[in-house]
Amino acid sequence: MKNQLIKSILLGSALFSFASCDESSSTTPAVETSYVVGIEAVSAIDVLLTAESLTEGEISPVGNGIEQPTWMSFYKAGDMVFAGGYSTDNIITAYSLQGENGGLVSSGQLVTDQGIYATTNVDDDTFIAVGAPRAGFEERTIYVIDKNDISIGNRKNTRIDERQELDLVSFPTGVYQRGDKLFISYFLTGTGEVVPAFATPMADTAKIAVYDYPSMEFVKLIKDDRTSEIGRYTSETAMQEDENGNIYTYSTSSLACGYLPTPSTPSGFLRINAGATDFDESYFFDFEAASGGYKINSAVYVGNGKMVVRVVMHDEVHWSTYAPNVPEDQAHLSYMIADLNTKEVTPVTGIPLTGGGWGFANLIKDGKVYVNISNDKGGHIYEINPETASATEGAMIVGHYAKGIFDLPIE
C-alpha cells in the first residue's frame, strides 16, 4: 500500500508528508546484487532497498524496499545494516542479504531508551551505540549490542563530561573501539535551562572521553586546543583508524555544521597514535589553511593516507549543511582529497556542488568512494577516484537523497 503512495507522490507534482508507516513485509523482491541503499524517498518516508548498480540506471523505492519510520539513520554493522531512529523512533532493526538472489531480510529488533547519535562496529559479535537525551543532565548510555540475537548485551550509564555550573553537558559525535580502550568524541552544549540546547559556547577545543574496554569504566578526558570539538551532530566518521593503528579525528569549526558561536580555532585533523590514549602533540593538519579557507563537513579514510572530505565552501548560515535538497544555486558543499601525510589538499574534479544531510552516506569499494550528491532536483550517486581526485556521475536516486550506501555479502 505504501509503495503505491510513494509512486503516486513521486510521479505527481507535489510531495506530501507522512508521520509514520507500518512494515507489512520483512523482505524485498530478491535481486542479484550486494548493494543496499537507504534513501529518503519523499518527506518523512525512508526506504531501505537493494540496488543492482551504483554507477548507472536508477535506484528507486517504487515497488522496492522496506519502508522505515521517519528520520532514520543507517549504520554498517559488519555483514548487516542497522536502521535506527535518533529523534522519533528508538527502535533499531537489523537487515542482511539472504537467499539465492540476496533478498533484504529483517533479522531482529531492539529498543533503546535514548536516541542513538554515535555508533561503531567492533567485530562479528558486537556493535556499540551511544545514546543521549536531547536536553538536560540525564546520564548518557553506552549500549553494547549482541549482533547474534540483536539484543542489548550490556549497557553503561555515563556522564561523559558535564559542567553543571555552566549549564553545559556532553553530546556524543563519535565512538571508536581500539584494543582495550573505547573513545567517545563529543561537543559541550546547553541543557536548555540557561544555555540553549545545541548552543556550543566552548567549542574551540577538541575533546574525547577515554574508557576501558570492555568494562566501559571511565579513564580520562583528553583535549587539544589547536582545533575545535570533534565531529558534528550525527557525524558518523568522527574517528577513523589507518593501516598503522593510528586514529585520526576531524573538526569542522563550522557554523554551517551546527556550531554556534562559530569556533575560533581552525578546521583540521588530529591524531592519536597506535597504542596511545592522548593526542599526538607533534601532529596537526590545518585543513582550513591548506584548502584556502574551507572547512571539513565530513570525511572518510580510504587508505594510503588519504581522506575523501566533504567540504564547506560557504560558512555563513547556521545548520545549512544539514539540508540535502537545497536549490541548485544554493548548494555549498564540495569534495576534496586530503593527504594526511603531506598535508596537501586537492579538489575533486567532475563533481557538482551538493546539499548535505544528517549523516554522511559513503561506500569504499575497489579503491573508489561512492557518495551522494543532491539538490532540489533530487540525487545521484557519484564515484570518486581518490588517486586522481576525479569523479563520475552514477545512478540516479528516485526520491530526495541517499542516506546510506552499503555493500553486503549474500548469506
Side-chain angles (χ1 to χ4, degrees), residues 160-161 163 183-186 205-210 218-225 230 239 249 270-272 276-280:
I160 301 180
D161 183 6
R163 319 286 175 91
F183 302 85
I184 299 178
S185 60
Y186 63 95
T205 303
K207 308 172 185 69
I208 287 179
V210 183
F218 175 77
V219 176
K220 62 181 178 180
L221 297 176
I222 61 174
K223 63 180 183 178
D224 195 302
D225 60 9
I230 292 167
M239 294 177 286
T249 71
L270 294 171
R271 182 172 68 196
I272 301 173
T277 56
D278 291 293
F279 293 112
D280 180 355

mmCIF file of all heavy atoms in Angstrom, residues 160-161 163 183-186 205-210 218-225 230 239 249 270-272 276-280:
data_model
loop_
_atom_site.group_PDB
_atom_site.id
_atom_site.type_symbol
_atom_site.label_atom_id
_atom_site.label_comp_id
_atom_site.label_asym_id
_atom_site.label_seq_id
_atom_site.Cartn_x
_atom_site.Cartn_y
_atom_site.Cartn_z
ATOM 1 N N ILE A 160 29.982 11.197 30.700
ATOM 2 C CA ILE A 160 30.970 11.620 29.696
ATOM 3 C C ILE A 160 31.680 12.884 30.185
ATOM 4 O O ILE A 160 32.819 12.850 30.607
ATOM 5 C CB ILE A 160 30.366 11.829 28.297
ATOM 6 C CG1 ILE A 160 29.714 10.530 27.797
ATOM 7 C CG2 ILE A 160 31.466 12.257 27.303
ATOM 8 C CD1 ILE A 160 29.084 10.641 26.414
ATOM 9 N N ASP A 161 31.002 14.017 30.130
ATOM 10 C CA ASP A 161 31.580 15.298 30.581
ATOM 11 C C ASP A 161 30.413 16.255 30.790
ATOM 12 O O ASP A 161 29.579 16.435 29.891
ATOM 13 C CB ASP A 161 32.536 15.841 29.514
ATOM 14 C CG ASP A 161 33.236 17.132 29.946
ATOM 15 O OD1 ASP A 161 33.069 17.544 31.112
ATOM 16 O OD2 ASP A 161 33.934 17.727 29.102
ATOM 17 N N ARG A 163 29.314 20.145 32.832
ATOM 18 C CA ARG A 163 29.723 21.340 33.581
ATOM 19 C C ARG A 163 28.455 21.996 34.123
ATOM 20 O O ARG A 163 27.920 22.948 33.544
ATOM 21 C CB ARG A 163 30.487 22.310 32.669
ATOM 22 C CG ARG A 163 31.480 21.651 31.687
ATOM 23 C CD ARG A 163 32.727 21.151 32.308
ATOM 24 N NE ARG A 163 33.554 20.433 31.326
ATOM 25 C CZ ARG A 163 34.497 21.006 30.579
ATOM 26 N NH1 ARG A 163 34.725 22.299 30.669
ATOM 27 N NH2 ARG A 163 35.228 20.273 29.742
ATOM 28 N N PHE A 183 36.869 5.155 22.752
ATOM 29 C CA PHE A 183 36.981 6.610 22.650
ATOM 30 C C PHE A 183 35.622 7.180 22.251
ATOM 31 O O PHE A 183 35.004 6.696 21.291
ATOM 32 C CB PHE A 183 38.024 7.001 21.602
ATOM 33 C CG PHE A 183 39.404 6.454 21.872
ATOM 34 C CD1 PHE A 183 39.753 5.171 21.449
ATOM 35 C CD2 PHE A 183 40.350 7.218 22.531
ATOM 36 C CE1 PHE A 183 41.029 4.662 21.679
ATOM 37 C CE2 PHE A 183 41.634 6.730 22.762
ATOM 38 C CZ PHE A 183 41.971 5.452 22.343
ATOM 39 N N ILE A 184 35.167 8.208 22.955
ATOM 40 C CA ILE A 184 33.920 8.888 22.613
ATOM 41 C C ILE A 184 34.212 10.370 22.406
ATOM 42 O O ILE A 184 34.648 11.061 23.329
ATOM 43 C CB ILE A 184 32.840 8.721 23.706
ATOM 44 C CG1 ILE A 184 32.494 7.242 23.887
ATOM 45 C CG2 ILE A 184 31.585 9.516 23.346
ATOM 46 C CD1 ILE A 184 31.470 6.983 24.986
ATOM 47 N N SER A 185 34.001 10.859 21.188
ATOM 48 C CA SER A 185 34.140 12.287 20.914
ATOM 49 C C SER A 185 32.801 12.970 21.191
ATOM 50 O O SER A 185 31.740 12.342 21.106
ATOM 51 C CB SER A 185 34.583 12.522 19.465
ATOM 52 O OG SER A 185 33.642 11.981 18.563
ATOM 53 N N TYR A 186 32.853 14.255 21.494
ATOM 54 C CA TYR A 186 31.622 14.945 21.874
ATOM 55 C C TYR A 186 31.804 16.453 21.773
ATOM 56 O O TYR A 186 32.917 16.961 21.667
ATOM 57 C CB TYR A 186 31.232 14.583 23.322
ATOM 58 C CG TYR A 186 32.247 15.012 24.355
ATOM 59 C CD1 TYR A 186 32.114 16.229 25.042
ATOM 60 C CD2 TYR A 186 33.360 14.216 24.662
ATOM 61 C CE1 TYR A 186 33.050 16.629 25.986
ATOM 62 C CE2 TYR A 186 34.299 14.614 25.601
ATOM 63 C CZ TYR A 186 34.139 15.812 26.268
ATOM 64 O OH TYR A 186 35.067 16.219 27.194
ATOM 65 N N THR A 205 37.920 23.821 21.516
ATOM 66 C CA THR A 205 38.879 22.783 21.886
ATOM 67 C C THR A 205 38.344 21.395 21.533
ATOM 68 O O THR A 205 37.169 21.100 21.766
ATOM 69 C CB THR A 205 39.162 22.840 23.396
ATOM 70 O OG1 THR A 205 39.647 24.142 23.729
ATOM 71 C CG2 THR A 205 40.199 21.808 23.807
ATOM 72 N N ALA A 206 39.197 20.541 20.974
ATOM 73 C CA ALA A 206 38.834 19.152 20.688
ATOM 74 C C ALA A 206 38.800 18.355 21.986
ATOM 75 O O ALA A 206 39.676 18.508 22.841
ATOM 76 C CB ALA A 206 39.835 18.541 19.714
ATOM 77 N N LYS A 207 37.805 17.467 22.132
ATOM 78 C CA LYS A 207 37.626 16.720 23.374
ATOM 79 C C LYS A 207 37.233 15.278 23.086
ATOM 80 O O LYS A 207 36.401 15.013 22.213
ATOM 81 C CB LYS A 207 36.537 17.371 24.240
ATOM 82 C CG LYS A 207 36.707 18.858 24.496
ATOM 83 C CD LYS A 207 35.486 19.434 25.196
ATOM 84 C CE LYS A 207 35.560 20.933 25.355
ATOM 85 N NZ LYS A 207 35.434 21.637 24.037
ATOM 86 N N ILE A 208 37.823 14.350 23.841
ATOM 87 C CA ILE A 208 37.469 12.932 23.759
ATOM 88 C C ILE A 208 37.456 12.360 25.165
ATOM 89 O O ILE A 208 38.342 12.652 25.976
ATOM 90 C CB ILE A 208 38.463 12.149 22.876
ATOM 91 C CG1 ILE A 208 38.259 12.478 21.400
ATOM 92 C CG2 ILE A 208 38.335 10.639 23.093
ATOM 93 C CD1 ILE A 208 39.220 11.771 20.460
ATOM 94 N N ALA A 209 36.457 11.534 25.455
ATOM 95 C CA ALA A 209 36.424 10.767 26.698
ATOM 96 C C ALA A 209 36.964 9.364 26.415
ATOM 97 O O ALA A 209 36.571 8.732 25.433
ATOM 98 C CB ALA A 209 35.012 10.695 27.247
ATOM 99 N N VAL A 210 37.873 8.890 27.284
ATOM 100 C CA VAL A 210 38.510 7.585 27.101
ATOM 101 C C VAL A 210 37.985 6.625 28.167
ATOM 102 O O VAL A 210 37.944 6.974 29.358
ATOM 103 C CB VAL A 210 40.041 7.693 27.196
ATOM 104 C CG1 VAL A 210 40.682 6.331 26.936
ATOM 105 C CG2 VAL A 210 40.571 8.740 26.215
ATOM 106 N N PHE A 218 35.232 4.603 33.021
ATOM 107 C CA PHE A 218 35.812 5.869 32.580
ATOM 108 C C PHE A 218 37.280 5.961 33.000
ATOM 109 O O PHE A 218 37.644 5.630 34.122
ATOM 110 C CB PHE A 218 35.021 7.034 33.165
ATOM 111 C CG PHE A 218 35.608 8.387 32.870
ATOM 112 C CD1 PHE A 218 35.445 8.973 31.619
ATOM 113 C CD2 PHE A 218 36.322 9.073 33.836
ATOM 114 C CE1 PHE A 218 35.993 10.220 31.346
ATOM 115 C CE2 PHE A 218 36.867 10.313 33.581
ATOM 116 C CZ PHE A 218 36.705 10.897 32.331
ATOM 117 N N VAL A 219 38.139 6.437 32.076
ATOM 118 C CA VAL A 219 39.568 6.588 32.359
ATOM 119 C C VAL A 219 39.946 8.057 32.494
ATOM 120 O O VAL A 219 40.476 8.494 33.515
ATOM 121 C CB VAL A 219 40.425 5.922 31.250
ATOM 122 C CG1 VAL A 219 41.919 6.161 31.510
ATOM 123 C CG2 VAL A 219 40.127 4.433 31.162
ATOM 124 N N LYS A 220 39.646 8.863 31.460
ATOM 125 C CA LYS A 220 40.073 10.258 31.478
ATOM 126 C C LYS A 220 39.443 11.026 30.333
ATOM 127 O O LYS A 220 38.877 10.436 29.390
ATOM 128 C CB LYS A 220 41.590 10.361 31.372
ATOM 129 C CG LYS A 220 42.161 9.788 30.065
ATOM 130 C CD LYS A 220 43.685 9.889 30.032
ATOM 131 C CE LYS A 220 44.254 9.284 28.759
ATOM 132 N NZ LYS A 220 45.729 9.358 28.699
ATOM 133 N N LEU A 221 39.547 12.345 30.391
ATOM 134 C CA LEU A 221 39.222 13.215 29.284
ATOM 135 C C LEU A 221 40.519 13.722 28.670
ATOM 136 O O LEU A 221 41.459 14.050 29.391
ATOM 137 C CB LEU A 221 38.382 14.411 29.747
ATOM 138 C CG LEU A 221 37.010 14.122 30.344
ATOM 139 C CD1 LEU A 221 36.379 15.431 30.836
ATOM 140 C CD2 LEU A 221 36.107 13.448 29.325
ATOM 141 N N ILE A 222 40.585 13.786 27.355
ATOM 142 C CA ILE A 222 41.746 14.381 26.690
ATOM 143 C C ILE A 222 41.255 15.547 25.827
ATOM 144 O O ILE A 222 40.117 15.557 25.355
ATOM 145 C CB ILE A 222 42.520 13.356 25.833
ATOM 146 C CG1 ILE A 222 41.644 12.781 24.705
ATOM 147 C CG2 ILE A 222 43.049 12.239 26.714
ATOM 148 C CD1 ILE A 222 42.403 11.877 23.745
ATOM 149 N N LYS A 223 42.113 16.538 25.625
ATOM 150 C CA LYS A 223 41.708 17.702 24.846
ATOM 151 C C LYS A 223 42.902 18.249 24.081
ATOM 152 O O LYS A 223 44.060 17.961 24.392
ATOM 153 C CB LYS A 223 41.114 18.785 25.746
ATOM 154 C CG LYS A 223 42.074 19.352 26.768
ATOM 155 C CD LYS A 223 41.389 20.423 27.624
ATOM 156 C CE LYS A 223 42.373 21.056 28.611
ATOM 157 N NZ LYS A 223 41.718 22.117 29.409
ATOM 158 N N ASP A 224 42.587 19.060 23.063
ATOM 159 C CA ASP A 224 43.618 19.693 22.251
ATOM 160 C C ASP A 224 43.076 21.034 21.780
ATOM 161 O O ASP A 224 41.990 21.101 21.195
ATOM 162 C CB ASP A 224 43.969 18.808 21.048
ATOM 163 C CG ASP A 224 45.269 19.212 20.381
ATOM 164 O OD1 ASP A 224 45.369 20.377 19.957
ATOM 165 O OD2 ASP A 224 46.175 18.357 20.269
ATOM 166 N N ASP A 225 43.826 22.106 22.049
ATOM 167 C CA ASP A 225 43.320 23.447 21.740
ATOM 168 C C ASP A 225 43.780 23.965 20.381
ATOM 169 O O ASP A 225 43.606 25.144 20.064
ATOM 170 C CB ASP A 225 43.711 24.444 22.840
ATOM 171 C CG ASP A 225 45.211 24.565 23.034
ATOM 172 O OD1 ASP A 225 45.981 24.013 22.224
ATOM 173 O OD2 ASP A 225 45.614 25.217 24.019
ATOM 174 N N ILE A 230 35.301 17.766 18.069
ATOM 175 C CA ILE A 230 35.466 16.752 17.033
ATOM 176 C C ILE A 230 34.114 16.315 16.479
ATOM 177 O O ILE A 230 33.156 16.107 17.216
ATOM 178 C CB ILE A 230 36.240 15.550 17.605
ATOM 179 C CG1 ILE A 230 37.680 15.972 17.912
ATOM 180 C CG2 ILE A 230 36.213 14.359 16.651
ATOM 181 C CD1 ILE A 230 38.430 14.980 18.759
ATOM 182 N N MET A 239 35.922 9.610 14.115
ATOM 183 C CA MET A 239 37.202 8.969 14.445
ATOM 184 C C MET A 239 37.389 7.757 13.549
ATOM 185 O O MET A 239 36.503 6.909 13.444
ATOM 186 C CB MET A 239 37.219 8.542 15.918
ATOM 187 C CG MET A 239 37.187 9.702 16.890
ATOM 188 S SD MET A 239 37.129 9.168 18.628
ATOM 189 C CE MET A 239 35.414 8.611 18.726
ATOM 190 N N THR A 249 41.066 12.117 13.781
ATOM 191 C CA THR A 249 39.800 12.799 14.033
ATOM 192 C C THR A 249 39.710 14.030 13.142
ATOM 193 O O THR A 249 40.731 14.558 12.699
ATOM 194 C CB THR A 249 39.688 13.249 15.494
ATOM 195 O OG1 THR A 249 40.590 14.349 15.739
ATOM 196 C CG2 THR A 249 40.033 12.123 16.461
ATOM 197 N N LEU A 270 43.382 15.800 13.796
ATOM 198 C CA LEU A 270 44.289 15.417 14.870
ATOM 199 C C LEU A 270 44.561 13.922 14.774
ATOM 200 O O LEU A 270 43.868 13.189 14.069
ATOM 201 C CB LEU A 270 43.685 15.746 16.237
ATOM 202 C CG LEU A 270 43.468 17.221 16.578
ATOM 203 C CD1 LEU A 270 42.665 17.351 17.870
ATOM 204 C CD2 LEU A 270 44.792 17.960 16.701
ATOM 205 N N ARG A 271 45.567 13.462 15.536
ATOM 206 C CA ARG A 271 45.929 12.041 15.512
ATOM 207 C C ARG A 271 46.183 11.530 16.925
ATOM 208 O O ARG A 271 46.785 12.214 17.749
ATOM 209 C CB ARG A 271 47.185 11.852 14.662
ATOM 210 C CG ARG A 271 47.634 10.390 14.519
ATOM 211 C CD ARG A 271 48.758 10.264 13.497
ATOM 212 N NE ARG A 271 50.001 10.887 13.946
ATOM 213 C CZ ARG A 271 51.020 11.182 13.143
ATOM 214 N NH1 ARG A 271 50.921 10.917 11.840
ATOM 215 N NH2 ARG A 271 52.112 11.739 13.620
ATOM 216 N N ILE A 272 45.689 10.309 17.186
ATOM 217 C CA ILE A 272 46.055 9.555 18.381
ATOM 218 C C ILE A 272 46.852 8.357 17.890
ATOM 219 O O ILE A 272 46.329 7.493 17.181
ATOM 220 C CB ILE A 272 44.817 9.090 19.165
ATOM 221 C CG1 ILE A 272 43.969 10.290 19.596
ATOM 222 C CG2 ILE A 272 45.227 8.269 20.384
ATOM 223 C CD1 ILE A 272 42.644 9.912 20.231
ATOM 224 N N ALA A 276 48.494 4.656 21.915
ATOM 225 C CA ALA A 276 48.422 5.836 22.786
ATOM 226 C C ALA A 276 46.969 6.168 23.121
ATOM 227 O O ALA A 276 46.033 5.719 22.453
ATOM 228 C CB ALA A 276 49.084 7.029 22.121
ATOM 229 N N THR A 277 46.787 6.982 24.161
ATOM 230 C CA THR A 277 45.449 7.443 24.532
ATOM 231 C C THR A 277 45.407 8.961 24.663
ATOM 232 O O THR A 277 44.489 9.509 25.276
ATOM 233 C CB THR A 277 44.992 6.800 25.860
ATOM 234 O OG1 THR A 277 45.960 7.075 26.880
ATOM 235 C CG2 THR A 277 44.832 5.297 25.707
ATOM 236 N N ASP A 278 46.392 9.641 24.094
ATOM 237 C CA ASP A 278 46.424 11.102 24.070
ATOM 238 C C ASP A 278 46.652 11.569 22.637
ATOM 239 O O ASP A 278 47.176 10.824 21.800
ATOM 240 C CB ASP A 278 47.543 11.640 24.968
ATOM 241 C CG ASP A 278 47.277 11.409 26.446
ATOM 242 O OD1 ASP A 278 46.332 12.013 26.964
ATOM 243 O OD2 ASP A 278 48.019 10.607 27.058
ATOM 244 N N PHE A 279 46.301 12.803 22.363
ATOM 245 C CA PHE A 279 46.572 13.376 21.059
ATOM 246 C C PHE A 279 48.079 13.505 20.839
ATOM 247 O O PHE A 279 48.837 13.801 21.769
ATOM 248 C CB PHE A 279 45.929 14.754 20.928
ATOM 249 C CG PHE A 279 44.425 14.726 20.913
ATOM 250 C CD1 PHE A 279 43.700 15.249 21.961
ATOM 251 C CD2 PHE A 279 43.738 14.169 19.838
ATOM 252 C CE1 PHE A 279 42.313 15.233 21.956
ATOM 253 C CE2 PHE A 279 42.347 14.142 19.815
ATOM 254 C CZ PHE A 279 41.632 14.677 20.881
ATOM 255 N N ASP A 280 48.511 13.257 19.613
ATOM 256 C CA ASP A 280 49.914 13.403 19.232
ATOM 257 C C ASP A 280 50.245 14.898 19.147
ATOM 258 O O ASP A 280 49.760 15.600 18.259
ATOM 259 C CB ASP A 280 50.134 12.721 17.884
ATOM 260 C CG ASP A 280 51.571 12.814 17.394
ATOM 261 O OD1 ASP A 280 52.398 13.490 18.047
ATOM 262 O OD2 ASP A 280 51.864 12.219 16.335
#
